[in-house]
Amino acid sequence: MRWVVALFLVLLVCGLAAVPHSHVEASDEFFSDVTARAGIHWRHVSGESSERYLIETMGGGVAFLDFDQDGLEDLFFVTGGETPASKGSTPPRNALYRNLGNGKFEDVTDRSGLARIPFYGMGVAAADFDNDGYPDLFVTGYPSCALLHNNRDGTFTDVTQKAGVQNAGRWAASAAWFDYDHDGRLDLFVANYAKFSYEGGPHCDYRGERTYCAQVSYTGERLTLYHNNGDGSFTDVTREAGLSELIGRGLGVVTVDVNDDGWPDVFVARDASPNLLLINQHNGRFKDVALNAEVALNMDGNARAGMGVDAGDVNGDERPDFIVTDFNDEQHALFVNAGSILYREWTRESGLAAVTRFFVGWGVHFIDFDNDGNLDLVLVNGHVNQVIEKTRLDVTYREPPLLMANNGKGVFHNVVEQAGSVFHNRYLGRGLAVGDYDNDGGVDVVFTCLNDAPVLLHNNVGRLKPWIGVRLEGTKSNRDAIGAKLTLTVGTKTSVRWITGGASYLSSHDSRVAFGVGRDAAGPTRLEIRWPNGDVQTVNGLKLNQYQRIVE
């Protein structure tokens, strides 16, 4: 159904217009490290031990979310935890930071009830699973997961048992919320990694020094799909959905409508296992077409070590493309949509091959950091092998993040000289999330580091060009509008964005969309929204340089 409504321009309480940014110092850098200034002091703990359990190398996740619905994006960090060989005097803790609106965050973890979970933590997926207007948290890990319901008073309650989403006995990595059956409720997709146990696992060493075993030493695990029953409970429908036989080492997941039929599909990045491209069959089932779509393997027919994944239109053809971060010597892969569920690898032509060849990539996201209308790339790297520098002269253990600018045709160049000091430093980067924490239209970035403090990056340049911000609110569709397709026309330029589920690695993102409109800002605006349930709504007269709430 196509219908036109007049936009009711209402700024949310506490303001969706740009927050005054007097707290941000003038800078020639595209991004500034504001972690300490923001008051973020949490550190990730991997539980690193002499046993060298592989799980110690893989976490942790981070989420941008507005948990108290005051119009400001807050932050939630997931720690790893302890292993049987790494018990400490002080148990590791997660962290919830409330955005105070002045460039600073307050640690509200203790009163939130989120400090500790009874398993080894990996990642987080934030979304409003019960459509009550407040985001909830699903935390992944081993040997269980947790669903934490937002009580709307700054606290969360563990409802895992009632919901039936324990994912018991599995090592869960990334997860994604999406409405795969169009019933208006968010379902849950979990990418599980490998068969794992603290007892009797593989042992590896390098010249007598204990080291982490390669991922191929671990048997892959099956996926999990939970259907939302609408009463606070979920049903495991993995087998009914045709997914139970797709065994492999899943790490990253993103949901997006690949073939533009109005139904959400799923891309799973897998580690030394073929990637999956799961096409929604409209009947509760999915079909893996990754091999025929040419995204499962590299050009030599081998599976890469895929970690993070995101979807977005990099070349302006209004179709979703995919970026997958991989291991050193494999290159982070870019797959460009060629139509009819067919992709062409564009890694070399895009410029990514030469830049990423020696890096191990994790979190990744398409981001129009300079609001010129083109989706750029930000990603973090970091090795897993502590002895790598003893075996290679061209690969390091700690590695720099990358900011790659897009020329609008899917060709990227490394802007390290202007990106900021962080991009000259080296980290053990893992989870990465994007969100506009000060509502100035410049999308900011946060990433976690193994056994270290996270890094919060303020975008200094996005606000310098015109932008249009949108926050969707579903009524018949899920409240977060996950699965919506947005087509914005400003003057002569058309841009397409999707509100995806999952994306990056172990992390969750600001669900609002900021369109950079660049030189076309003077033209008339028209936004077409295809809601997750298929209805189409058209909005005219959007205002520049502020976020606007649009209700289905």
Side-chain angles (χ1 to χ4, degrees), residues 338-372:
S340 300
I341 317 184
L342 178 65
Y343 281 78
R344 181 159 58 107
E345 181 158 349
W346 189 247
T347 307
R348 184 172 299 175
E349 293 87 344
S350 70
L352 288 172
V355 177
T356 65
R357 177 181 173 187
F358 299 114
F359 296 145
V360 177
W362 301 87
V364 61
H365 213 283
F366 290 115
I367 174 177
D368 183 6
F369 76 89
D370 54 0
N371 278 337
D372 66 353

Coordinates of all heavy atoms in Angstrom, one line a residue, residues 338-372:
A338 N 25.6 -7.7 -7.9 CA 25.4 -7.6 -9.3 C 24.0 -7.9 -9.8 O 23.8 -8.0 -11.0 CB 26.4 -8.7 -10.0
G339 N 23.1 -8.1 -8.9 CA 21.7 -8.3 -9.2 C 21.4 -9.8 -9.3 O 22.2 -10.6 -9.5
S340 N 20.1 -10.1 -9.1 CA 19.6 -11.5 -9.2 C 20.3 -12.4 -8.2 O 20.7 -13.6 -8.6 CB 19.7 -12.0 -10.6 OG 18.9 -11.2 -11.5
I341 N 20.6 -11.9 -7.0 CA 21.3 -12.7 -6.0 C 22.6 -13.2 -6.5 O 23.0 -14.4 -6.3 CB 20.4 -13.9 -5.4 CG1 19.0 -13.4 -5.2 CG2 21.0 -14.3 -4.1 CD1 18.1 -14.5 -4.6
L342 N 23.3 -12.3 -7.1 CA 24.7 -12.6 -7.6 C 25.6 -11.5 -7.2 O 25.2 -10.3 -7.3 CB 24.7 -12.8 -9.1 CG 26.1 -13.1 -9.7 CD1 26.6 -14.4 -9.3 CD2 26.0 -13.0 -11.3
Y343 N 26.8 -11.9 -6.7 CA 27.7 -10.9 -6.2 C 29.1 -11.1 -7.0 O 29.4 -12.2 -7.4 CB 28.0 -11.0 -4.7 CG 26.9 -10.4 -3.9 CD1 25.6 -11.1 -3.7 CD2 27.0 -9.1 -3.4 CE1 24.6 -10.5 -3.0 CE2 26.0 -8.5 -2.6 CZ 24.8 -9.2 -2.5 OH 23.8 -8.6 -1.8
R344 N 29.8 -10.0 -7.1 CA 31.1 -9.9 -7.7 C 32.1 -9.5 -6.6 O 31.9 -8.5 -6.0 CB 31.1 -9.0 -8.9 CG 32.4 -8.9 -9.6 CD 32.2 -8.4 -11.1 NE 31.5 -7.1 -11.0 CZ 32.2 -6.0 -11.3 NH1 33.4 -6.0 -11.6 NH2 31.5 -4.8 -11.3
E345 N 33.2 -10.2 -6.5 CA 34.2 -9.8 -5.5 C 34.9 -8.6 -6.1 O 35.4 -8.6 -7.2 CB 35.2 -10.9 -5.2 CG 36.2 -10.4 -4.1 CD 36.9 -11.5 -3.3 OE1 36.4 -12.6 -3.4 OE2 37.8 -11.1 -2.6
W346 N 34.9 -7.5 -5.2 CA 35.4 -6.2 -5.7 C 36.6 -5.8 -4.8 O 37.0 -4.6 -4.7 CB 34.3 -5.2 -5.6 CG 34.5 -3.9 -6.2 CD1 34.5 -2.7 -5.5 CD2 34.6 -3.5 -7.5 NE1 34.7 -1.6 -6.3 CE2 34.7 -2.1 -7.6 CE3 34.6 -4.2 -8.7 CZ2 34.9 -1.4 -8.8 CZ3 34.8 -3.6 -9.9 CH2 34.9 -2.2 -9.9
T347 N 37.2 -6.8 -4.1 CA 38.2 -6.5 -3.1 C 39.4 -5.8 -3.7 O 39.9 -4.7 -3.2 CB 38.7 -7.8 -2.4 OG1 37.5 -8.5 -1.9 CG2 39.6 -7.5 -1.3
R348 N 39.9 -6.3 -4.8 CA 41.1 -5.7 -5.4 C 40.8 -4.4 -6.0 O 41.5 -3.4 -5.8 CB 41.7 -6.7 -6.4 CG 43.0 -6.2 -7.1 CD 43.6 -7.2 -7.9 NE 44.0 -8.4 -7.1 CZ 44.4 -9.5 -7.7 NH1 44.6 -9.7 -9.0 NH2 44.7 -10.6 -6.9
E349 N 39.7 -4.3 -6.8 CA 39.3 -3.1 -7.5 C 39.0 -2.0 -6.5 O 39.2 -0.8 -6.8 CB 38.1 -3.3 -8.4 CG 38.4 -4.3 -9.6 CD 38.2 -5.7 -9.2 OE1 38.2 -6.1 -8.0 OE2 38.1 -6.6 -10.1
S350 N 38.5 -2.3 -5.3 CA 38.1 -1.3 -4.3 C 39.3 -0.7 -3.6 O 39.1 0.4 -3.0 CB 37.2 -2.0 -3.3 OG 38.0 -2.9 -2.4
G351 N 40.4 -1.3 -3.7 CA 41.6 -0.8 -3.0 C 41.8 -1.5 -1.6 O 42.8 -1.2 -0.9
L352 N 40.9 -2.3 -1.2 CA 41.0 -2.9 0.1 C 42.0 -4.0 0.2 O 42.6 -4.3 1.2 CB 39.6 -3.5 0.5 CG 38.5 -2.5 0.9 CD1 37.2 -3.3 1.1 CD2 38.9 -1.8 2.1
A353 N 42.3 -4.7 -1.0 CA 43.2 -5.8 -1.0 C 44.6 -5.4 -0.5 O 45.2 -6.0 0.4 CB 43.3 -6.4 -2.3
A354 N 45.1 -4.3 -1.1 CA 46.5 -3.9 -0.7 C 46.6 -3.3 0.7 O 47.6 -3.6 1.4 CB 46.9 -2.8 -1.7
V355 N 45.6 -2.7 1.2 CA 45.6 -2.0 2.5 C 45.4 -3.1 3.6 O 46.1 -3.0 4.7 CB 44.5 -1.0 2.6 CG1 44.5 -0.4 4.0 CG2 44.7 0.1 1.6
T356 N 44.6 -4.1 3.4 CA 44.2 -5.0 4.5 C 45.0 -6.3 4.5 O 44.8 -7.2 5.3 CB 42.7 -5.3 4.4 OG1 42.4 -6.0 3.2 CG2 41.9 -4.0 4.5
R357 N 45.9 -6.5 3.6 CA 46.5 -7.8 3.3 C 47.2 -8.4 4.6 O 47.1 -9.6 4.9 CB 47.6 -7.7 2.2 CG 48.3 -9.0 2.0 CD 49.4 -8.8 0.9 NE 50.2 -10.0 0.8 CZ 51.3 -10.1 0.0 NH1 51.6 -9.1 -0.7 NH2 52.0 -11.2 0.0
F358 N 47.8 -7.5 5.4 CA 48.6 -8.1 6.5 C 47.9 -7.9 7.9 O 48.5 -8.1 8.9 CB 49.9 -7.3 6.6 CG 50.8 -7.5 5.4 CD1 51.1 -6.4 4.5 CD2 51.3 -8.8 5.0 CE1 51.8 -6.6 3.4 CE2 52.0 -8.9 3.9 CZ 52.3 -7.9 3.1
F359 N 46.5 -7.6 7.8 CA 45.8 -7.4 9.0 C 44.8 -8.6 9.3 O 44.3 -9.2 8.4 CB 45.0 -6.1 9.0 CG 45.9 -4.9 8.9 CD1 45.5 -3.8 8.2 CD2 47.1 -4.8 9.6 CE1 46.3 -2.7 8.1 CE2 47.9 -3.7 9.5 CZ 47.5 -2.6 8.8
V360 N 44.5 -8.8 10.6 CA 43.4 -9.6 11.1 C 42.3 -8.7 11.5 O 42.4 -8.0 12.5 CB 43.9 -10.5 12.2 CG1 42.7 -11.4 12.7 CG2 45.0 -11.4 11.8
G361 N 41.2 -8.8 10.7 CA 40.1 -7.8 10.9 C 39.0 -8.4 11.8 O 38.7 -9.6 11.8
W362 N 38.3 -7.5 12.5 CA 37.2 -7.9 13.4 C 36.0 -7.0 13.1 O 35.3 -7.1 12.1 CB 37.6 -7.9 14.9 CG 38.8 -8.8 15.1 CD1 40.1 -8.5 15.0 CD2 38.7 -10.2 15.5 NE1 40.9 -9.6 15.3 CE2 40.0 -10.6 15.6 CE3 37.7 -11.0 15.8 CZ2 40.3 -11.9 16.0 CZ3 38.0 -12.3 16.2 CH2 39.3 -12.8 16.3
G363 N 35.7 -6.0 14.0 CA 34.6 -5.2 13.8 C 34.7 -4.3 12.6 O 35.8 -3.8 12.3
V364 N 33.5 -4.1 11.9 CA 33.6 -3.3 10.7 C 32.2 -2.7 10.5 O 31.2 -3.3 10.9 CB 33.9 -4.2 9.5 CG1 32.9 -5.3 9.3 CG2 34.1 -3.3 8.2
H365 N 32.1 -1.5 9.9 CA 30.8 -0.9 9.6 C 31.0 0.2 8.5 O 32.0 0.9 8.4 CB 30.3 -0.2 10.8 CG 28.8 -0.2 10.9 ND1 28.0 0.6 10.2 CD2 27.9 -1.0 11.6 CE1 26.7 0.4 10.4 NE2 26.6 -0.6 11.3
F366 N 30.0 0.2 7.6 CA 29.9 1.3 6.6 C 29.4 2.5 7.4 O 28.5 2.5 8.2 CB 28.9 0.9 5.5 CG 29.3 -0.2 4.6 CD1 28.7 -1.4 4.5 CD2 30.4 0.0 3.8 CE1 29.1 -2.4 3.7 CE2 30.9 -1.0 2.9 CZ 30.2 -2.2 2.9
I367 N 30.1 3.6 7.1 CA 29.8 4.9 7.8 C 30.1 6.0 6.9 O 31.2 6.1 6.3 CB 30.6 4.9 9.1 CG1 30.4 6.3 9.8 CG2 32.0 4.6 8.9 CD1 31.1 6.4 11.2
D368 N 29.2 6.9 6.7 CA 29.4 8.2 5.9 C 30.0 9.2 6.9 O 29.3 10.1 7.3 CB 28.2 8.6 5.2 CG 28.4 9.9 4.3 OD1 29.6 10.3 4.2 OD2 27.4 10.4 3.8
F369 N 31.3 9.1 7.2 CA 31.8 9.9 8.3 C 31.9 11.4 8.0 O 31.8 12.2 8.9 CB 33.2 9.3 8.7 CG 34.3 9.7 7.7 CD1 35.0 10.9 7.9 CD2 34.7 8.9 6.7 CE1 36.1 11.3 7.0 CE2 35.7 9.2 5.8 CZ 36.4 10.4 6.0
D370 N 32.0 11.7 6.7 CA 32.1 13.1 6.3 C 30.8 13.7 5.7 O 30.8 14.8 5.2 CB 33.3 13.3 5.3 CG 33.2 12.4 4.1 OD1 32.3 11.6 4.0 OD2 34.1 12.5 3.3
N371 N 29.7 12.9 5.7 CA 28.4 13.3 5.2 C 28.5 13.8 3.8 O 27.8 14.8 3.5 CB 27.8 14.3 6.2 CG 27.1 13.6 7.4 OD1 26.8 12.5 7.3 ND2 27.0 14.4 8.5
D372 N 29.2 13.2 2.9 CA 29.2 13.5 1.5 C 28.3 12.7 0.7 O 28.2 12.8 -0.5 CB 30.7 13.5 0.9 CG 31.2 12.0 0.9 OD1 30.6 11.1 1.4 OD2 32.3 11.8 0.3

